[in-house]
Amino acid sequence: MRRTTFVGLVPLLLLLVTGEATAHAFLDHAEPRVGNKVDAAPREVTLWFTQKLEPAFSTITVTNAAGQRVDAGKARVSGTQMSVSLRSGGAGTYHVSWRVLSVDAHKTEGSFTFKVGQ
Ligand SMILES: [Cu+2]
């Protein structure tokens, strides 16, 4: 009897865990687009997330092909959107790293690249 009850509970628990995971702020899309190539170095990078962000604890770091930081430091947050201004960093592969705190108080982070020039 007990065994039957337990087996019935497992799918319910899995459902709850999965539902919670999708509530965090994950990257929805970005401009320049993830993995894409653009002709000229962009003036800023903008990321869109699946949930609203807390501005105080959300950051973006962007480095150019030489590994130098080209972001202006302070990211601007508006709802689900976060942007940072860039200095010109030449051609090559840029790395974007983000770390955000969503309004449900969960932290998430990730990174991606895009290419400039050629
Ligand atoms: Cu969450």
Side-chain angles (χ1 to χ4, degrees), residues 2-78:
R2 286 204 162 177
R3 188 185 162 84
T4 313
T5 309
F6 179 72
V7 169
L9 253 171
V10 171
L12 179 65
L13 287 173
L14 284 174
L15 191 72
L16 289 172
V17 169
T18 311
E20 166 63 22
T22 54
H24 305 344
F26 290 109
L27 184 65
D28 185 63
H29 65 285
E31 186 59 50
R33 283 184 286 164
V34 173
N36 218 41
K37 188 186 280 186
V38 292
D39 291 337
R43 295 205 170 172
E44 64 172 27
V45 171
T46 302
L47 313 184
W48 284 266
F49 289 87
T50 56
Q51 198 176 53
K52 285 187 179 176
L53 309 175
E54 288 289 355
F57 302 100
S58 299
T59 59
I60 311 176
T61 304
V62 184
T63 55
N64 66 6
Q68 298 159 329
R69 272 188 78 165
V70 293
D71 62 87
K74 186 91 176 111
R76 300 179 303 279
V77 171
S78 174

